[in-house]
Every structure is written in C-alpha cells, then in structure tokens.
Amino acid sequence: MSTPTAKTPQGIVAEFPASATQKRCWFLDQMRPGNPALNVAVRWELRGNVSAKVLEEAFQYVIARHEVLRTRLVEGEDGPVQQVAAAVEFKLDQVDIRAAVQGDPLLRVDAIARENAERPFDLSKAGLLRATLVRFEADRAMLLIVAHQSCFDGYSIGVLGREIGIAADAINRGVEPDLPELPLQYGDYALWQQEYLASGVLDEETEYWTAALHDMRYFEIEPDRARPAVRSVEGAQVDMDLPPDFGDRLAKAAQARGMSTFAFGCAVFSAALQRMTGESDVSFGSQIAGRNDVDLEPLIGVFINNLVLRFDVDPAKTFAAHLDQARAVVTGALSHQTMPFNQLVQVLNPVRDAGRNPLISINFNLQTVFMKTQEYEGFSLRSSPSHAPGAVYDMDVAVIGRPTGWQMNAEYQSQLFEAETIAAFLDLLAQAFEQAFAEAEAPIATLPLPERLANRRDRSSRALSRVEEALAAHAYVAEAAAISDGTETYGFVTPAPGTTVALETLPEVLMDHLAQKLAEADMPRGVSVLALLPRKQNGALNRALLRPPAQRRDAARASRRAVDPEVAARIRGIWQELLGLEAVPDTASFFDLGGDSLLTVRMLTRIREAYGLELGIATAYEYPTLTTLTGAVWERLNAKAEATPAEPDWRILPLRKDGAGVPLISVNNAATPMALAQDGPTPRKATCVRLFEGDHGLDQTDRSFEEVARAYADLVREAQPEGPYLFYGNCVHGNLALETARILHAEGAEIAGVAMKDVWEPGYAEALLKDPKMRKAEKWQALRNRIRMVREGEMSFWAMLDMYRVARKTGIVHAAEALGLYNRAHASDLEEEQQRAISYLSKARDAYRPAPVDFPVLHVVTEITPQGSGFSPSIGWEKVVAEGQLKTVHIPKVSVVGNKRSGTEAFAREIETFLAERDAAR
C-alpha cells in the first residue's frame, strides 16, 4: 500500500496498485469513456415488507465494510492505481410504479433497469455502485443494482446479496449484523498479485500459452452485416429455456465421462461452433472466478480472468471422442489460469484491430446463478434474470442454472448479427447438448444444422469457391486458396512454373483477371503470393494459417504524407522514452517493439499534451508504425489549423446534451420536450429541430406538407445521423413529426416511436366539420379551453376576444389596441413570426392526407381535445396507424408555462412504458 501524497485529494486514505483485471477495465474505459459494456447489471426481486430506509442503511453498511466499493481508478506514474476514499455518499433511488402502470408492470421495470444500467460511471470518482428500488406491487419490488466491473464480478453478486440481506434483517430487528470481520481487503489482494506476478511465476505460464495458441487464427462467426471499423458495444439478447431435466442430464453425463459440467459444456459449444462455421480450429473465451484462496471468498471485487480455450474439432469424430479431447484442453487451461489476459495479449502480440477484441471474439460460460434465494424475517431476496448493458464480444453465450430451471442467454453485437441468426445458433447448441447426452457415439458431422445456418454456410462456401476457381484458372497460378472473415474475402496463390511476370506485380495481374470473372460482390480485397500453401499433416489445406496483410489503405496513405521533421522527431522521442529504446525503426509496429495497452494510453496522453489532439486508442491500432502515426498526427494538426469556428446551427437546438435511452427529437417545440427529457425516471438527451426562426429559415412559398416534412427529415439526419429516432410534437407540429418519421422510416431508418399530444388527423377533422352537431360540440370545447387558459394565465383576455368575430365587430378589441393594452398585429400571444409560421404549416396540413403509418405511435390526448360520444378516442389516427402500433393515453393536462409544469411527469412515464412495450413486442 502507498501512503497518500500531498497531491492526493482530500478524503483518500489509501492507494494500491490496480489489479490486472482493473488495468484492463481502465484501458477499455480509456478507449470508450463510460463504456456501458463494463457495467454489471443485477436484479433482485424483493418480496415482503422492508423499508427503503432499511435497505439504504444496509447498502451503506456493506460499502463501509468493503474498501473496493469506496475506490476510484486514476492514472499513476506507471499506469492506473486504485485509491480508497474514507467514505462515499450512497443514496438508494426509489421509483413507485404501482399507480402509474397499466398492463404488465415488469415491462416498465425492465425499461427502468435497462436505462439505469446504461448510465456511465466516471472511474475517477469513488463509489462505483448504485441501486434503485422499484415497487410494482404492494409486497413486491425489484432491486436494480449496477456496479462497474473494475470493482465487481459475478461471484461478488452472491457476496453482496448475502450481506445486504443479513444487514437489512439485522437493522429491521434493531441488532448488529452478524458478519465476521473480513480477513483482508481488495487492495491487499492487488498488492499481493503485483508481487506474485513480478516473482517470475509467469515463465511457465507463458511457455504453456505460447504453445497452446501457436499459429492460432482469429476465430469469429461470419456476421450478417459489415463489421464497422471501430467496434460497437450496442447489444441485444436472445434467450432460450432448456428442458426441465437439463440440469440432471448434464450432471449425469459429465460425471460419466469424469469431467466437470463446465468442461462438458465447452466441448459441446465448440462442436456447435464447428458445425456453424465449418472451421476445425475453434477458439473462444471464458472466465474463471480467480478466487483460489479461501480468504478471497468473502470479498467483493473483480478477481476474474479471461481464458482462451482452443479446440481441434474434427467433424468426423464422435461426440464421445471430442468430449475426451476437450477435457484435456480445459484441464490444461485451468492449470495455467494465473496468466493475466492483458499480459497474454502482450506476449502473443496479435494484430491490433479497432473493430475486434484481441484473441477473443466469442465467449462462453456454464454456471449456476451466484445469488441464491434468501429468506429473512418478513422479507426475501431472490435472483431475477438481468441483461448486459452492452456487448463486450461478438457473441457471448451463457448456459445458466436457476432455481426455476436452466436457460441459455446469448448476448450479441446487434450491429453485426440479426436476432434470427443468434436464435438459430441457440437451437443448434440445444440440439448439440441433446446429441451429446443421448447419442455420444454419433459423429459431430451428423448434428443437423438449422436451415438459416445451413444457408449461411452454403453462401460463404460458394463465394470462396468462386474466388478459388477463378484464381486457379489463371495460367500463372499453381494453387489457390481463399479465406473470409465474414465481411471480405482474401486470396492466396502459389506461382505456376514458368511464370513470366515479376512476382511483385502478380497480385495486380490477378486482381484484374478476377474483375473480369467475378461479380463485384464476390471480389476479394486482395491477393497474396506465397511459396507454398500451408498444409496439415494429412495434406489438407490449413486455412487457419492463412492471414491477410494487416495494413489498411488509410494507413498506406498516411505513410506517404510529408511530415514536419520536428513533429516526427518529437513523436519518435516519445516512443523512445516509453519503449526504452535508443532507436525506433520507422516501419516497425509500436506493439512489436514492446508497446502494450498501458503504454498506448500514455503515448496518446503525451501527444495530447504536446499538440492538444484527442486521439482515440483506435488511432494507435489503425496507424501502428512511427511513419503512419506521425502522418496521422500531422494531418490532424493541419486540419485543426485550417478549421475556423463554425457558427452554431440555429436550426438544431440542444435541449439536453446527455442522458440514457433513446434521444428525443422535438419538432418546433422546446419547453415541453425539455421537461419530458428531465422529468422521466431516467433523463434522456433531447434536441429541437426547427426551420422557422424570426426572419430566416424556410421561405413560406407554397409547398405541400410532405415537402416541408422532407426538409425536416433532412435536418433530423444532420442532428442525429442514425436511428433509432424518437419524435415529439404537439398540434400541427405533431402532424409534422409523424410525417417526418414516416419519410425516414420509408428510407430504412429505425423509428423507436412518435410521441404526440393533441394532434388531429386532417381527414378526420375535415369530416367532423361537415357534421353540424359535432362542429358545435367542438366549438364549445374550444371556448371552454380558452376560458381556462385565460384563468390560468396561459392566454391574455384580449387574445381570446380577438379570436371571435362578434368581439371584433363591437370595436372593443380596436379600443384595447389604441390604448396599448393589446397588439393587434398578433392574432394570438405568439410572436408575429411564430404565428405566421404556424399559419403556414396549418394551411399545408389541412390539405394533407397522411399515408399509412407502420411504426409505434403514442398519442397523449388532454382535456383540450373533445372527448365523448361521437368523437374518436385518438381523433382519427386509428385509421392511419397500423393495428397494434397506436397507443392512446388520456392525461388531463400537459403544459409548460414559465416555471410551471403540469402533467409532464405523467407524460414522461408514459413514454418510458411505451418504449418498454415496444421492446418487449419485438
């Protein structure tokens, strides 16, 4: 432990080195600050009677007991360190939805849980844990807990649950919690780990892992969509319930083969991956608890480590033979589990790619839930299924045993895969378990592929075959092979005897040849010439050893830029200092020279301090050599010097710049959406888009309503380039919001929904005015509304009178204008330009008839809209919005006048429920 220095903030009482896993968490947070994929979300169902005050005190007790829950991570001289605060403030948030929710309250609970889980943590602030109590029935509530992975792992869930339950029970009874003193704190473990790893114990581990993963090709599943250059953390989840006897059959089958259920699951999972991809060299990640000492078991903290498990899956072998082989693989990995994953990455030094995790693309775990049901006097705590706030891996499959049964959960990157593909894989995995249980002597190749996966394999195989056949047909080619990473293919050839062109020009010759033989969609990214194609012992092609060149086109461009010698020298000096080298080759990779994740962060920090440039870690991956990096820095410096401050775009008005959940886009209205963004259970980002402002903006020449909406759709794309989009609009602006959403939806954008207030469907309004009885009812309703608005200060008396011809004929309004009591230039209390814009939009709206809408619409109808006999509940939208997509809700009043708000909290809650129901219906 280090003694806090004079520079240490007040309240910090101890400083320890960061553990290996904390260092990785810190690095990932540096790559993407506030990364939600690093949040651990937990749900516990609370039954019985226990007050929020008691629960809050229980959390405070446990936080005081575990230093790691009062810890922050900051950068020290040699990387991140953890600092312990003497105390942190903890407040249990509370949400009561018992009176506000119609339908299934658990949908609303799920929405609250998801938005809470996505809220980021600031690692530089101590206290990386929060909790919310959501009461949804008289004696039932959900306790939603979110902790950062740098201080919390899966095993910690059980520790926290047990201690919270014991503490709450004791506080309820007015006694001290019966919990033994902790033998040590997490900082003590981190200090021990640092000394242990520095003692040379990793030499044997390094030898083992270097041999086990030698020449391992990066294993991944071909995605449904193109892989982005920088990986996303946007995730989704597919679940599947397993048969009631699954747990018993798993235990019995594993015991019969003398292996753990985890090893059995890994064998079955690797077999399923082989069938899905056709690859025999299968690798994936898994996590081990890392609590190898009894003194670590009662601690909260992050002890897990990533293991890379590599299997040679021969589809001709039986499941039984593969299970026996897999047992040895898992046993070997577990015997060498102390090698920290970040150091394994440093030792193996794979090619860095901002679009991929190092070494691990797919992850797997098989376990029972950490939190057991606990009964106390008057209440109980039980585990409830949760979700991951973000996707760490391309696909992460967990086979989990709960008191209610076994289930498979697959979390996946939604930017890469469609839900149907992941669901098909779970079907395949379930069938693989069944075959391993019942037909272990059957070859793996007999495991049937679901139709969707079979079609994917056939498409990929046909594409590679076309490339290989076209290459092999060329006179200069002796042998050809092609590989695919799911988004692009790459070809390899050996030259034929007697080839008359220079080998360095052969790739260009072959690419020209392929362009004449293949469709554009089948063209490989490039072709490389090899002396020999790699073969296995049986003579078969070993595609696992074929790797396309890592250099990107952007990096090649950067290497040709003329760089200021002073900039190049300064960056070279930074590399020399950090890497401890006297000379740095221009074309050597930072990582090949000994750079690791921590040195990468420090290098980018030095560049930021020197030039004021904020470079993401992805930049170091994209430009790994000294030449390419200095080129990238020089280009950004030039762009920074040439840039002139841009005038803020008045058309895009930020209302709230941060918040969780789907951002809210309002059309021509600021006050109400700002209140909606702030008053909900979880704040959300909000923006107002407008094309009319004073004397500038969209000219008011004759246009159709659709043409106006088209202009708004283009503006929305500028404000938020990609969906999902959540719109708000009231009255004519609601018509405009709906038509804008319809245009974007027709272009393929995802529409989360349109929330609108008191919006008449134009065709319905026209038909209503033709009915004398209904027209009279509407007029009386309008008069009552205006009288109410005058009484409540929302409209002036003179503005109300000016709306009626009889008042204008008497001359009273003219007299008021002459006396300076009223500005006749205004037909209302709005500014003249505002009134003119609304009149312009209303005229276009009245001639417009909306096309059918097939996305979610929430229509809030207030007391200003006529209701009752003869009036449509949603004033006409039932015939426009597709069945099941329209939800109409009555809230007596929604208004924002100055600092006075009415109904905005209820409206915000309805929006959250509406979004939760939309997600559940997917």
Side-chain angles (χ1 to χ4, degrees):
M1 181 182 75
S2 302
T3 302
T5 66
K7 295 182 180 180
T8 305
Q10 190 173 7
I12 299 298
V13 295
E15 182 176 289
F16 296 93
S19 69
T21 307
Q22 282 182 322
K23 289 178 181 178
R24 177 157 178 78
C25 288
W26 180 81
F27 173 70
L28 292 174
D29 186 76
Q30 294 288 310
M31 286 187 71
R32 187 190 296 268
N35 187 346
L38 297 175
N39 292 357
V40 181
V42 181
R43 303 183 197 182
W44 297 336
E45 185 180 341
L46 179 67
R47 296 187 181 182
N49 296 312
V50 60
S51 71
K53 183 176 182 298
V54 166
L55 287 172
E56 185 173 85
E57 290 180 12
F59 271 99
Q60 291 167 346
Y61 174 86
V62 174
I63 290 170
R65 175 176 162 83
H66 291 270
E67 288 182 356
V68 73
L69 299 180
R70 294 179 276 115
T71 292
R72 68 177 193 162
L73 287 177
V74 295
E75 186 171 6
E77 292 183 3
D78 298 315
V81 296
Q82 51 177 320
Q83 294 181 338
V84 180
V88 294
E89 181 180 358
F90 176 86
K91 186 178 185 305
L92 178 67
D93 292 333
Q94 300 179 57
V95 179
D96 193 332
I97 63 173
R98 286 176 288 187
V101 173
Q102 298 175 352
D104 186 357
L106 292 180
L107 293 176
R108 178 68 187 285
V109 171
D110 184 69
I112 295 171
R114 290 180 181 277
E115 295 209 2
N116 279 347
E118 290 175 2
R119 284 166 46 205
F121 284 104
D122 181 348
L123 299 193
S124 67
K125 296 180 180 178
L128 302 175
L129 177 141
R130 58 176 177 261
T132 302
L133 180 68
V134 183
R135 295 197 182 275
F136 59 91
E137 288 182 8
D139 61 348
R140 292 180 68 193
M142 197 70 76
L143 196 53
L144 310 176
I145 299 166
V146 186
H148 196 269
Q149 194 179 99
S150 61
C151 69
F152 202 82
D153 60 12
Y155 192 93
S156 298
I157 296 171
V159 177
L160 180 67
R162 186 177 67 87
E163 295 197 355
I164 290 293
I166 291 173
D169 181 53
I171 295 168
N172 248 347
R173 295 185 289 108
V175 299
E176 279 292 311
D178 185 17
L179 287 169
E181 184 178 349
L182 293 174
L184 66 162
Q185 292 286 344
Y186 186 78
D188 302 321
Y189 160 78
L191 192 62
W192 167 85
Q193 185 190 55
Q194 182 189 59
E195 295 174 353
Y196 176 76
L197 296 178
S199 67
V201 297
L202 293 185
D203 292 346
E204 181 184 345
E205 305 280 293
T206 299
E207 183 179 349
Y208 170 82
W209 287 109
T210 302
L213 305 183
H214 178 67
D215 283 338
M216 183 183 77
R217 181 181 170 193
Y218 191 80
F219 180 85
E220 59 189 350
I221 295 173
E222 179 180 348
D224 296 318
R225 306 183 184 96
R227 185 181 294 274
V230 178
R231 70 182 308 275
S232 166
V233 297
E234 293 180 18
Q237 182 170 313
V238 174
D239 301 327
M240 174 186 286
D241 291 328
L242 292 166
D245 62 348
F246 177 85
D248 292 338
R249 295 180 74 192
L250 173 65
K252 185 176 180 180
Q255 185 178 22
R257 306 208 73 83
M259 59 197 307
S260 67
T261 55
F262 171 72
F264 192 97
C266 288
V268 174
F269 187 68
S270 61
L273 287 175
Q274 191 285 325
R275 291 292 292 136
M276 182 180 188
T277 64
E279 299 288 339
S280 295
D281 190 357
V282 174
S283 61
F284 53 85
S286 191
Q287 287 68 49
I288 46 96
R291 298 175 186 245
N292 298 325
D293 190 290
V294 67
D295 284 346
L296 302 181
E297 293 180 2
L299 298 188
I300 290 172
V302 55
F303 298 89
I304 59 170
N305 189 29
N306 290 341
L307 297 182
V308 182
L309 301 173
R310 184 185 188 186
F311 300 87
D312 181 10
V313 187
D314 184 349
K317 286 186 178 180
T318 64
F319 266 91
H322 180 60
L323 285 163
D324 291 340
Q325 177 186 341
R327 179 178 57 230
V329 171
V330 175
T331 300
L334 292 176
S335 299
H336 298 86
Q337 62 177 272
T338 56
M339 167 72 88
F341 180 72
N342 53 324
Q343 289 189 237
L344 178 63
V345 172
Q346 187 177 348
V347 167
L348 298 180
N349 194 23
V351 174
R352 294 339 193 255
D353 184 341
R356 293 171 168 85
N357 278 323
L359 301 180
I360 298 174
S361 165
I362 309 298
N363 198 68
F364 173 77
N365 275 299
L366 186 148
Q367 63 195 43
T368 56
V369 291
F370 295 104
M371 171 74 172
K372 310 297 182 184
T373 299
Q374 301 175 63
E375 302 283 347
Y376 300 99
E377 188 176 316
F379 71 96
S380 66
L381 279 174
R382 61 194 64 211
S383 173
S384 184
S386 186
H387 75 290
V392 177
Y393 304 99
D394 287 4
M395 182 176 72
D396 187 355
V397 175
V399 181
I400 300 177
R402 303 182 184 280
T404 54
W406 283 76
Q407 187 182 58
M408 290 194 294
N409 312 125
E411 297 161 0
Y412 63 96
Q413 279 211 29
S414 53
Q415 283 198 354
L416 296 181
F417 297 106
E418 297 172 358
E420 293 78 7
T421 298
I422 304 301
F425 177 75
L426 291 187
D427 287 337
L428 173 66
L429 182 57
Q431 184 59 39
F433 272 109
E434 178 60 33
Q435 192 154 324
F437 292 158
E439 302 178 65
E441 296 303 323
I444 292 173
T446 62
L447 178 64
L449 274 176
E451 182 178 2
R452 183 179 180 89
L453 301 187
N455 291 340
R456 291 174 91 253
R457 274 194 60 176
D458 290 344
R459 284 196 303 270
S460 177
S461 178
R462 286 195 297 269
L464 293 181
S465 295
R466 285 193 287 268
V467 173
E468 291 177 351
E469 289 171 6
L471 286 171
H474 197 281
Y476 293 159
V477 174
E479 290 184 300
I483 60 171
S484 171
D485 67 355
T487 57
E488 60 183 11
T489 57
Y490 199 88
F492 299 87
V493 300
T494 59
T499 298
T500 57
V501 300
L503 294 184
E504 59 267 23
T505 65
L506 183 55
E508 184 176 353
V509 171
L510 294 176
M511 288 296 286
D512 290 341
H513 165 73
L514 292 177
Q516 299 174 19
K517 299 291 184 180
L518 300 176
E520 185 177 351
D522 291 334
M523 282 292 292
R525 175 168 67 86
V527 176
S528 289
V529 180
L530 304 177
L532 293 171
L533 293 180
R535 302 281 177 182
K536 298 180 180 179
Q537 289 184 348
N538 61 6
L541 179 66
N542 190 350
R543 295 181 190 273
L545 299 183
L546 293 173
R547 295 183 177 88
Q551 186 173 359
R552 295 175 173 78
R553 289 185 292 273
D554 287 344
R557 255 199 325 271
S559 68
R560 295 195 294 270
R561 295 186 185 107
V563 178
D564 184 327
E566 292 185 7
V567 173
R570 190 162 190 174
I571 296 177
R572 184 185 299 276
I574 293 172
W575 280 37
Q576 290 171 328
E577 179 186 350
L578 293 177
L579 297 171
L581 299 175
E582 292 184 2
V584 176
D586 290 345
T587 58
S589 164
F590 181 77
F591 304 101
D592 291 339
L593 295 172
D596 57 20
S597 56
L598 298 180
L599 289 177
T600 301
V601 173
R602 295 174 67 186
M603 174 187 68
L604 297 177
T605 299
R606 299 286 182 86
I607 293 174
R608 183 183 68 238
E609 292 170 348
Y611 299 110
L613 293 177
E614 291 288 347
L615 301 179
I617 289 175
T619 305
Y621 290 170
E622 189 172 2
Y623 306 106
T625 69
L626 187 62
T627 299
T628 57
L629 181 64
T630 52
V633 170
W634 181 238
E635 179 182 292
R636 284 162 173 76
L637 287 173
N638 287 330
K640 183 179 178 183
E642 294 168 2
T644 56
E647 287 288 327
D649 190 342
W650 64 267
R651 304 173 305 161
I652 300 172
L653 177 63
L655 304 177
R656 184 183 179 90
K657 295 185 177 181
D658 55 12
V662 182
L664 181 66
I665 294 182
S666 168
V667 174
N668 298 337
N669 187 293
T672 301
M674 183 181 293
L676 294 177
Q678 294 173 342
D679 291 353
T682 302
R684 66 179 69 247
K685 180 182 177 182
T687 305
C688 172
V689 292
R690 53 203 178 151
L691 287 173
F692 303 93
E693 177 72 11
D695 294 329
H696 52 279
L698 197 66
D699 65 89
Q700 296 182 20
T701 55
D702 284 343
R703 287 185 180 84
S704 69
F705 199 68
E706 291 89 341
E707 288 174 318
V708 176
R710 171 75 267 171
Y712 272 87
D714 293 340
L715 180 58
V716 168
R717 289 284 197 189
E718 291 185 42
Q720 183 182 320
E722 299 293 337
Y725 295 105
L726 173 63
F727 286 92
Y728 168 78
N730 65 286
C731 300
V732 67
H733 311 298
N735 295 104
L736 195 51
L738 192 67
E739 180 61 20
T740 301
R742 191 195 65 76
I743 290 172
L744 291 172
H745 187 254
E747 295 175 348
E750 180 184 353
I751 305 299
V754 175
M756 56 189 193
K757 181 182 80 70
D758 297 311
V759 180
W760 289 75
E761 194 279 308
Y764 176 78
E766 181 185 48
L768 195 72
L769 292 175
K770 293 178 180 178
D771 184 332
K773 180 181 177 182
M774 300 305 295
R775 184 170 67 246
K776 181 180 179 181
E778 192 278 330
K779 294 293 185 184
W780 276 112
Q781 175 72 14
L783 176 59
R784 286 195 296 268
N785 285 333
R786 287 162 185 161
I787 292 173
R788 176 190 58 78
M789 292 173 72
V790 170
R791 287 176 175 171
E792 296 180 5
E794 298 176 12
M795 177 186 287
S796 72
F797 173 73
W798 300 107
M800 184 191 78
L801 285 184
D802 201 20
M803 293 180 176
Y804 295 94
R805 187 167 45 192
V806 63
R808 292 196 295 270
K809 281 186 176 182
T810 64
I812 188 172
V813 175
H814 179 75
E817 181 184 13
L819 292 170
L821 299 176
Y822 177 52
N823 184 355
R824 185 64 178 276
H826 294 181
S828 69
D829 290 325
L830 297 173
E831 294 297 325
E832 181 180 357
E833 296 85 356
Q834 293 176 310
Q835 182 60 50
R836 206 165 45 231
I838 290 176
S839 298
Y840 172 74
L841 291 174
S842 298
K843 179 182 177 183
R845 186 270 318 272
D846 293 344
Y848 148 81
R849 296 296 177 264
V853 167
D854 190 15
F855 48 76
V857 177
L858 172 66
H859 191 189
V860 169
V861 177
T862 73
E863 60 190 14
I864 71 172
T865 296
Q867 295 289 290
S869 177
F871 289 99
S872 159
S874 200
I875 45 180
W877 293 108
E878 295 88 345
K879 295 184 178 181
V880 175
V881 182
E883 184 178 356
Q885 296 281 34
L886 175 65
K887 181 179 182 181
T888 304
V889 177
H890 180 73
I891 298 176
K893 181 180 179 182
V894 177
S895 71
V896 179
V897 180
N899 293 326
K900 183 180 178 182
R901 298 179 180 179
S902 298
T904 53
E905 288 189 12
F907 197 165
R909 289 196 298 269
E910 290 294 345
I911 290 175
E912 296 223 2
T913 302
F914 167 69
L915 293 176
E917 291 170 347
R918 175 204 63 138
D919 291 340
R922 284 181 166 182

